[in-house]
Amino acid sequence: MEGGAGVADGAVELIEEFQPLRDDIADRIAERADALPVRRGDLEFRNVTFTYPGAAKPTIKNLSFTLADGEKLALVGQNGAGKTTIAKLALRLYDPEDGEILYGGVNIRDLRLADYRAAFAVVFQDFKNFAVSVAENVLLHPEAPGERETVLDALEKSGFSEKLKRLPDGADTRLTREFDEQGVNLSGGEGQKLSIARIYAKQADIAILDEPTSALDPLAEYKMYENMMDACRDRSVLFISHRLSSAVLADRVLLLEDGSVAESGTHAALMAADGAYAAMFRLQAEKYRESEDACHG
């Protein structure tokens, strides 16, 4: 009993220690009392600047672009160019220090926060899978009657179906051994495919994919994005990929440098312009050819 009391006291102390931080975050990302309902439309960044706390310089500087309703937009650039920060700002995990972000023509600070975030389906590069069933990992809630078809369709499109056939209980298989000694641990690529299935299962207006395919080979990644473009024909997609071959599938490509748009256009137009994007694309293509030659040598 004494040990239990000690644990409880420690938990209370920990909660009290983090309370100021939690309150600070809540104050910074707050919802107005008269917040407006969410209306589907374009997502627009208008002269947005953002600096992370403690950073010496902005990650995003006077950035402007529009993701039109239903458009498929690829964000590319070197590490540190600001791609992931754009995704986090779009989700209103942070607010810009200058400029504004609009959705459906309304500043997102003026929209109902929970409803606004519900308009997105998101997979980040640091994805998480949980100690529940495969189906619940896809849905991110307890499975309800009639949802199994949605789960299986999403797993098929994400490329997880072959692994699913080998699981002892199919979509009911529990993951990890955290709570179940018979739980299954997935490889990195399998875990990524499972997390990507969430995009297919959730009928959100905007899908954001922030390099969720790093553990997949180039062909598997291309096929996944090809499936995504087809499944999201009437939805907006913002995807970030370090492999420029996937950008070919986008309606438009934005090349970011130091938090600003350096080049913008279709893949074909940017290749014809023969600028930084074209140089990066050719360099990657040459590396893939060299790797393939080495494998067959």
Side-chain angles (χ1 to χ4, degrees), residues 31-43:
E31 179 179 284
R32 292 174 33 173
D34 58 346
L36 301 171
V38 175
R39 181 181 60 189
R40 177 172 169 167
D42 297 348
L43 179 68

Side-chain angles (χ1 to χ4, degrees), residues 20-244:
L21 176 61
R22 189 180 70 176
D23 291 344
D24 179 53
I25 293 172
D27 288 342
R28 284 188 281 116
I29 308 297
E31 179 179 284
R32 292 174 33 173
D34 58 346
L36 301 171
V38 175
R39 181 181 60 189
R40 177 172 169 167
D42 297 348
L43 179 68
E44 180 183 359
F45 278 57
R46 188 178 293 174
N47 303 316
V48 170
T49 296
F50 175 77
T51 306
Y52 284 102
K57 62 177 184 178
T59 300
I60 297 296
K61 295 175 289 188
N62 198 36
L63 177 70
S64 296
F65 75 91
T66 299
L67 172 65
D69 186 20
E71 184 181 22
K72 314 302 182 281
L73 181 64
L75 293 180
V76 302
Q78 301 292 344
N79 289 338
K83 304 184 297 296
T84 295
T85 300
I86 289 173
K88 292 178 178 178
L89 288 168
L91 292 166
R92 210 183 164 209
L93 301 180
Y94 299 98
D95 281 332
E97 63 199 66
D98 199 13
E100 58 181 350
I101 302 171
L102 300 96
Y103 183 55
V106 180
N107 191 314
I108 64 174
R109 292 179 188 239
D110 298 331
L111 297 173
R112 294 170 185 162
L113 185 57
D115 292 347
Y116 172 69
R117 288 178 177 162
F120 294 84
V122 186
V123 180
F124 282 109
Q125 54 189 315
D126 56 344
F127 65 93
K128 302 295 181 186
N129 290 320
F130 306 99
V132 293
S133 73
V134 168
E136 290 170 324
N137 265 282
V138 172
L139 297 167
L140 294 179
H141 62 251
E143 185 179 3
E147 289 189 310
R148 182 53 59 97
E149 185 175 347
T150 296
V151 169
L152 297 179
D153 181 63
L155 292 171
E156 174 71 28
K157 289 175 179 174
S158 72
F160 192 82
S161 56
E162 286 303 313
K163 176 63 178 180
L164 186 66
K165 295 175 184 176
R166 300 193 298 271
L167 294 179
D169 298 310
D172 296 315
T173 302
R174 292 181 66 87
L175 299 185
T176 83
R177 296 188 175 94
E178 187 175 357
F179 302 118
D180 187 346
E181 292 183 358
Q182 303 303 314
V184 172
N185 290 319
L186 301 177
S187 69
E190 292 163 352
Q192 285 189 328
K193 290 176 181 179
L194 179 60
S195 66
I196 291 165
R198 296 166 187 160
I199 296 284
Y200 296 109
K202 183 179 179 181
Q203 294 299 308
D205 294 333
I206 302 177
I208 295 182
L209 299 99
D210 179 12
E211 297 196 81
T213 55
S214 58
L216 304 183
D217 63 68
L219 287 177
E221 181 189 59
Y222 186 88
K223 182 61 177 177
M224 188 282 297
Y225 278 119
E226 196 173 44
N227 288 344
M228 186 67 63
M229 299 307 113
D230 182 61
C232 297
R233 285 189 299 271
D234 60 344
R235 295 189 277 166
S236 305
V237 179
L238 178 68
F239 68 94
I240 299 167
S241 177
H242 64 284
R243 293 181 183 134
L244 300 188

